[in-house]
Amino acid sequence: MKDRQALSFEVFPPKPEMDADLSGIGETISDLKTAAPDFISVTYGAGGNNRPRALDIAAVILSNGMNPLSHLTAVGYTSDDASRVLDSLEDLGVKNILALRGDIPKGQGMDEGAWKNYSRASGLVRYVSELGQFCVGGAAYPEGHQQSVSRAADMEFMREKEEAGASFFITQLFFDNDAFLSFRDDASAAVKSPIIAGIMPVFRARQIKRIVEISGCRVPEKLSSLLDLYLDDDASMQEAGIDYAARQISALWREGVNGIHIYTMNKSKGVLEILRRCGLRGRGSL
Ligand code: FAD
């Protein structure tokens, strides 16, 4: 990212009943390889049940000759727990970690012990970066986090994470490029590290409506009318969603973003079509 714009993907560990032997996600990963991504990130369940599978998926990414970025969440962990996971990741050959706080488990408050050693992501960022083995990144929120009190406070959280050792940020999804660009202007006054724009393509209207509710991101009028129009028509929504994401990514790329990170939802075909329309590949993009 020091030299050029990056292209990356996020995948998640599929439920064991959907893909017991990980052959489905293995196929997704080898499809995604054709876009020559700079890295592929693997989410980590704050609930804990998919953790071993997240490590297995990082191994699949490595065995495909690509660079995994393993997410690691702090909630529910002591630093000894984190240390054991980090040892396993290092043994696998993982060199990059996205250090996150994780969401508060349902029914618990910030002071109920779930946070153990880390009540903010910056604590975990510091712990991982002080090990000296990993390149560490953090999360950023162009339209604020559900717990945000102000833009100024959010900038302070980012500054704290950078000071603790985060050398890049990946944003939450957003559909409104102006929201991202105004956030980038403010953030570049607070931090020096590259900020990668997180883009979630719309493949199914109902799924995105749920995600929007949780994340609180703004849906521009143009997209919101498509979501309503194609609420029960997945094929048309997928076509319109691919078009929307391709336009969104192309415009951001022209704005000189440090990188584009696509939340693939493990759907490689749609993602590859988006990139074809943008004329984009990683590792030396157009
Ligand atoms: P922090 O940096 O500690 O806080 C994030 C923001 O929350 C701050 O910027 C601030 O605005 C606000 N905030 C938090 N605490 C306070 C407070 N006390 N007072 C005021 N404001 C506050 N979750 C998973 O479980 N697994 C994953 O794999 C995963 N991957 C993610 C990847 C990306 C790119 C992003 C953006 C999020 C991801 N998340 C994941 C979700 C994340 O764990 C949650 O959003 C969590 O609530 C905050 O984590 P953080 O690391 O951003 O925390």
Side-chain angles (χ1 to χ4, degrees):
M1 279 180 282
K2 281 190 183 135
D3 303 329
R4 59 182 166 78
Q5 292 168 288
L7 173 68
S8 56
F9 302 126
E10 178 190 283
V11 296
F12 62 85
K15 291 202 171 98
E17 59 273 25
M18 308 291 284
D19 187 9
D21 61 357
L22 297 178
S23 56
I25 186 73
E27 231 173 83
T28 302
I29 288 167
S30 74
D31 274 0
L32 292 173
K33 183 178 181 178
T34 62
D38 293 279
F39 63 87
I40 298 186
S41 84
V42 187
T43 63
Y44 201 66
N49 49 7
N50 69 5
R51 287 176 178 172
R53 285 165 75 82
L55 265 70
D56 292 343
I57 291 171
V60 173
I61 294 167
L62 280 162
S63 71
N64 273 274
M66 292 182 286
N67 193 11
L69 166 67
S70 290
H71 296 201
L72 183 65
T73 51
V75 61
Y77 270 139
T78 61
S79 44
D80 285 347
D81 297 328
S83 162
R84 272 192 290 278
V85 179
L86 288 161
D87 282 349
S88 310
L89 288 168
E90 195 192 347
D91 290 347
L92 273 180
V94 172
K95 296 190 162 46
N96 304 292
I97 304 286
L98 189 68
L100 301 143
R101 189 196 65 182
D103 285 322
I104 306 169
K106 278 200 184 75
Q108 289 198 29
M110 289 289 290
D111 53 353
E112 290 181 64
W115 305 99
K116 304 216 164 73
N117 288 162
Y118 315 106
S119 61
R120 290 179 176 201
S122 53
L124 185 63
V125 168
R126 186 174 300 285
Y127 179 76
V128 182
S129 60
E130 282 179 353
L131 295 174
Q133 322 280 9
F134 300 101
C135 169
V136 189
Y141 301 85
E143 297 172 272
H145 182 273
Q146 302 95 307
Q147 288 178 282
S148 291
V149 287
S150 65
R151 172 66 64 92
D154 288 354
M155 294 299 132
E156 188 50 28
F157 270 77
M158 284 182 77
R159 203 200 50 72
E160 200 177 278
K161 285 194 252 196
E162 183 177 68
E163 197 265 325
S167 57
F168 65 97
F169 291 93
I170 303 182
T171 77
Q172 191 172 48
L173 67 117
F174 60 91
F175 297 109
D176 176 2
N177 283 358
D178 288 342
F180 171 82
L181 294 171
S182 111
F183 165 79
R184 185 180 67 166
D185 286 347
D186 290 349
S188 60
V191 295
K192 300 275 167 289
S193 306
I195 299 171
I196 302 177
I199 301 296
M200 181 172 283
V202 180
F203 295 134
R204 283 195 301 120
R206 286 187 195 278
Q207 179 186 40
I208 291 297
K209 283 191 176 226
R210 267 197 312 277
I211 290 172
V212 162
E213 241 177 69
I214 300 166
S215 69
C217 73
R218 202 183 84 74
V219 180
E221 177 56 38
K222 184 168 173 262
L223 180 60
S224 125
S225 51
L226 291 170
L227 293 176
D228 291 336
L229 185 62
Y230 298 134
L231 197 59
D232 294 309
D233 177 355
D234 290 349
S236 303
M237 185 66 254
Q238 169 141 343
E239 171 52 33
I242 285 173
D243 179 67
Y244 189 91
R247 288 172 194 274
Q248 197 186 357
I249 291 170
S250 297
L252 288 166
W253 201 261
R254 283 194 301 274
E255 287 286 347
V257 288
N258 298 123
I260 295 285
H261 185 66
I262 303 183
Y263 295 106
T264 69
M265 291 174 288
N266 297 355
K267 302 242 181 289
S268 52
K269 304 276 182 291
V271 169
L272 292 176
E273 176 57 19
I274 292 167
L275 295 175
R276 193 190 64 75
R277 292 187 196 187
C278 304
L280 214 60
R281 276 168 66 80
R283 301 198 201 152
S285 298
L286 303 181

